């Protein structure tokens, strides 16, 4: 399925929901590396993909959010980087077949850029390039940059993806006050990311659907490319130090018309969501 063509011709698409919290419900321990499951528990990763596909997702996201060298090395898995990312694309594509498209997930490096941290721009470009190269070799043609909070960092990732000829969906996480944790506004994010060549821009994770609607509206006023909205299942509450998401699928789906009105062309969900959210979003869109 050529998702970009579908979106360009005016179709509204449903993207899938959370991977990490779903894998935890299937036995992934807290603090364990979710991406390692591409190699050790491929059937469970595919079980999640299949559940989202059956719930109506048109776009499946690979289990590679933390598949970069810095994050994998923290788990002692740096040597398996290429294998982990390539296999993840295989797993999603096997489930998607011709009925859905696959977005290869790329998250932040996990390290802070200079001068806040000690990661140089060149090093960050290397880190993103290495992961994206493996995803491309695995057969991905689309990268979704997600949950970024620093504009400098997502721009470096975007340049790395464009350098390899990838289609790019660029999504940042906004907090209260409609800014990212680093202070980026929706207008700044959207304008910069489109200028750098992103085909789709938008927001994911963040605080919840209600707070994300004005973020998407502000992006729509700034740029004309298709927008993507993937909120968390509400604002998490801490229960014994673990984030718990309390929103119900129907509660999130109630915001779908608002997202459509705000200009979103791809709607999905993020942390704490399940295939039931995807089903509710898909039936609301239909
Ligand atoms: Zn999230």
């Amino acid at each position: 399925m050529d998702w970009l063509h579908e979106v360009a011709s005016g179709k509204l698409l449903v993207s899938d929901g959370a991977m990490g919290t779903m894998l935890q419900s299937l036995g992934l321990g807290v603090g364990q590396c979710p991406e390692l499951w591409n190699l050790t528990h491929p059937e469970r990763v595919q079980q999640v993909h299949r559940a989202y596909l059956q719930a109506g997702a048109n776009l499946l996201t690979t289990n590679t959010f933390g598949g970069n060298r810095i994050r994998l090395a923290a788990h002692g898995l740096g040597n398996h980087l290429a294998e982990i990312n390539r296999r993840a694309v295989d797993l999603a594509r096997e489930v998607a077949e011709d009925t859905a498209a696959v977005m290869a997930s790329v998250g932040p490096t996990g390290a802070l850029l200079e001068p806040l941290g000690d990661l140089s721009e060149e090093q960050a470009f290397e880190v993103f390039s290495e992961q994206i190269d493996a995803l491309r070799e695995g057969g991905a043609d689309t990268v979704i940059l997600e949950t970024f909070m620093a504009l400098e960092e997502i721009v470096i990732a975007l340049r790395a993806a464009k350098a390899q000829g990838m289609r790019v969906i660029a999504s940042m996480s906004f907090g209260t006050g409609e800014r990212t944790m680093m202070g980026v506004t929706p207008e700044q994010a959207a304008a910069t990311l489109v200028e750098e060549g992103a085909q789709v821009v938008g927001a994911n994770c963040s605080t919840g659907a209600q707070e994300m609607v004005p973020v998407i509206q502000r992006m729509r006023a700034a740029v004309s490319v298709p927008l993507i909205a993937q909120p968390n299942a509400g604002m998490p509450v801490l229960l014994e130090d673990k984030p718990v998401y309390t929103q119900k699928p129907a509660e999130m789906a109630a915001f779908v018309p608002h997202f459509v009105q705000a200009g979103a062309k791809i709607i999905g969900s993020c942390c704490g969501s399940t295939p039931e959210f995807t089903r509710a979003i898909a039936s609301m869109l239909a």
Side-chain angles (χ1 to χ4, degrees):
M1 188 196 78
D2 185 344
W3 67 267
L4 189 55
H5 177 80
E6 304 262 322
V7 167
S9 64
K11 209 173 156 204
L12 298 168
L13 298 182
V14 180
S15 53
D16 58 5
M19 175 59 78
T21 41
M22 285 294 290
L23 293 181
Q24 282 168 12
S25 74
L26 292 174
L28 177 76
V30 175
Q32 285 184 334
C33 177
E35 291 78 17
L36 179 59
W37 272 32
N38 296 328
L39 306 184
T40 59
H41 299 75
E43 70 294 339
R44 294 198 199 160
V45 175
Q46 286 195 318
Q47 184 184 336
V48 176
H49 287 318
R50 204 166 290 119
Y52 281 121
L53 183 72
Q54 286 166 356
N58 307 115
L59 292 149
L60 302 182
T61 312
T62 60
N63 179 33
T64 53
F65 178 77
N68 68 65
R69 176 151 300 271
I70 292 172
R71 286 182 188 262
L72 290 180
H75 292 284
L77 295 169
N79 291 339
H80 297 287
L81 184 146
E83 202 187 351
I84 283 173
N85 283 283
R86 282 201 304 251
R87 188 84 181 100
V89 180
D90 277 344
L91 295 177
R93 281 170 41 124
E94 276 173 25
V95 172
E97 292 184 323
D98 295 332
T99 56
V102 170
M103 309 186 281
S105 172
V106 171
T109 62
L112 285 173
L113 281 168
E114 292 171 342
L116 293 176
D118 53 15
L119 188 69
S120 73
E121 239 180 79
E122 294 72 24
Q123 287 168 327
F125 186 83
E126 280 294 303
V127 168
F128 288 123
S129 297
E130 183 185 30
Q131 183 185 5
I132 292 165
D133 184 53
L135 293 166
R136 190 182 45 76
E137 282 195 349
D141 67 357
T142 300
V143 164
I144 180 163
L145 308 173
E146 45 183 1
T147 327
F148 281 78
M149 297 180 191
L151 195 52
E152 297 79 5
E153 188 180 8
I154 193 170
V155 164
I156 295 168
L158 178 46
R159 288 177 182 167
K162 297 305 290 182
Q164 297 194 39
M166 302 290 266
R167 294 167 166 186
V168 182
I169 298 170
S171 177
M172 299 190 78
S173 177
F174 295 83
T176 46
E178 297 165 21
R179 285 175 181 263
T180 73
M181 202 190 280
M182 305 300 199
V184 184
T185 67
E187 291 85 355
Q188 283 174 322
T192 305
L193 296 170
V194 168
E195 205 176 279
E196 292 283 343
Q199 273 89 6
V200 174
V201 300
N204 76 293
C205 219
S206 310
T207 46
Q210 185 163 14
E211 293 82 356
M212 194 176 280
V213 171
V215 170
I216 298 297
Q217 282 169 340
R218 289 175 63 179
M219 285 188 164
R220 171 77 309 146
V223 297
S224 56
V225 301
L227 303 179
I228 184 170
Q230 302 192 109
N232 282 346
M235 184 83 130
V237 290
L238 282 181
L239 210 77
E240 288 166 2
D241 288 338
K242 270 184 68 181
V244 176
Y245 297 86
T246 54
Q247 194 173 49
K248 299 278 179 289
E251 293 169 350
M252 184 188 289
F255 290 99
V256 166
H258 300 277
F259 280 126
V260 172
Q261 217 161 31
K265 298 290 185 205
I266 304 174
I267 301 173
S269 53
C270 200
C271 300
S273 65
T274 61
E276 284 315 307
F277 285 76
T278 308
R279 201 179 306 280
I281 291 168
S283 68
M284 189 62 100
L285 272 181

